[in-house]
Amino acid sequence: MHDAAFAAAGIDARYELLELEPGEVEPAVNEARGPAWLGLQVTAPYKRLVAGLCDEVEADAAMIGAVNSVARSADGRLVGFNTDAPGFLAGVELAMGRPLAEADVVVAGAGGAAHAVVFACLNGGARRVTIGNRTVTSAIELARRFAAVGSGSIVAMGLDDPAFSAALRSADLAVNATTVGMLEPGMTIDVDRLPAGATVFDLVYVPPETPLLRAARARGLRDANGSEMLIAQATIAFERWTGVGGMGDVMRAAVTPLLTDSTARA
């Protein structure tokens, strides 16, 4: 995606993948202070580690507790930010066909991805967010972390709690923020309990159609996977690094065949 955008923008740069052991992370981040670098991105499990190596961490990233992107300033300072929350917001509002404001949201999961999802929902004006997770204590900790974000309410419980099923009945949006459907079979959300106007959003994008999304489509619900979130994240970081916006269509055209190929190989 990024290389296609660099080419389209006429920028002499490339996006490189580095697979690092824990002891190699700090030297790699320090190298990115050099003038040859625009910035970098980070995947688990190094998002918190890299946050501590930046010269500045933006407020949203600090609140979420993870840095997944870093921009190099002209003087070599590294500024950590997070594209998960704004990427999710862009993808989910496209799927819903409306803003998140005043929406009732149900989220399955309480891991790193769920942190960004819950923050984005509350910050985007959701009226109520219900978090369900296998480990209830993790859901409670997540709810406490974001209790002061936005003006909406937030409640946490187990995925098997009858109150979680009850929350689905009035949900405008149901989000799977777990790896169920990708790394393990099954579904985290009973789509039969959702109202006819609800949207189902699965952060998983490989495979592009999970059992959850198939079930949602069978019911005629609005649905989307995480591919538009992925593209939105990429465009946000690219613009931060280069000052060039509007690369969504270029990135979408570049990544769509790759996601299809990955699914076929899997």
Side-chain angles (χ1 to χ4, degrees):
M1 289 186 292
H2 293 91
D3 285 343
F6 284 135
I11 297 172
D12 183 16
R14 65 183 183 274
Y15 192 96
E16 294 185 347
L17 173 65
L18 299 176
E19 296 189 44
L20 304 175
E21 295 298 321
E24 299 172 317
V25 175
E26 184 171 358
V29 171
N30 287 333
E31 183 183 347
R33 298 178 186 279
W37 289 76
L38 296 172
L40 56 99
Q41 291 188 301
V42 189
T43 59
Y46 298 138
K47 293 183 180 182
R48 292 191 178 186
L49 173 59
V50 169
L53 300 174
C54 292
D55 300 297
E56 176 187 344
V57 174
E58 294 183 350
D60 286 2
M63 176 67 75
I64 294 167
V67 162
N68 76 338
S69 300
V70 179
R72 179 192 178 275
S73 63
D75 60 359
R77 296 178 72 255
L78 298 181
V79 180
F81 58 103
N82 187 293
T83 63
D84 289 332
F88 168 77
L89 185 64
V92 82
E93 290 190 337
L94 178 65
M96 295 177 72
R98 53 157 285 193
L100 261 174
E102 298 302 313
D104 282 354
V105 184
V106 175
V107 179
H115 279 62
V117 167
V118 171
F119 175 83
C121 289
L122 292 170
N123 201 45
R127 177 172 51 219
R128 178 181 174 89
V129 176
T130 301
I131 306 166
N133 194 53
R134 289 173 179 170
T135 305
V136 180
T137 53
S138 297
I140 293 171
E141 289 172 5
L142 175 53
R144 286 174 177 166
R145 183 182 188 95
F146 297 128
V149 176
S151 58
S153 63
I154 183 169
V155 62
M157 60 195 65
L159 273 174
D160 57 355
D161 192 316
F164 186 77
S165 294
L168 291 172
R169 296 192 182 281
S170 60
D172 300 298
L173 171 67
V175 182
N176 175 44
T178 76
T179 57
V180 174
M182 178 176 68
L183 299 182
E184 54 188 298
M187 297 188 293
T188 56
I189 293 164
D190 183 356
V191 299
D192 289 334
R193 296 184 180 276
L194 292 168
T199 298
V200 176
F201 194 92
D202 198 332
L203 268 61
V204 172
Y205 52 84
V206 177
E209 185 180 74
T210 61
L212 176 62
L213 294 184
R214 279 197 297 274
R217 289 172 190 173
R219 272 214 56 206
L221 302 176
R222 299 178 73 106
D223 71 275
N225 65 17
S227 60
E228 285 298 324
M229 175 179 171
L230 176 73
I231 293 163
Q233 289 174 298
T235 60
I236 292 165
F238 188 87
E239 185 168 1
R240 287 290 301 270
W241 295 332
T242 66
V244 177
M247 286 292 162
D249 289 343
V250 171
M251 290 183 162
R252 186 177 296 104
V255 78
T256 299
L258 300 179
L259 296 179
T260 302
D261 290 347
S262 295
T263 304
R265 287 196 298 271

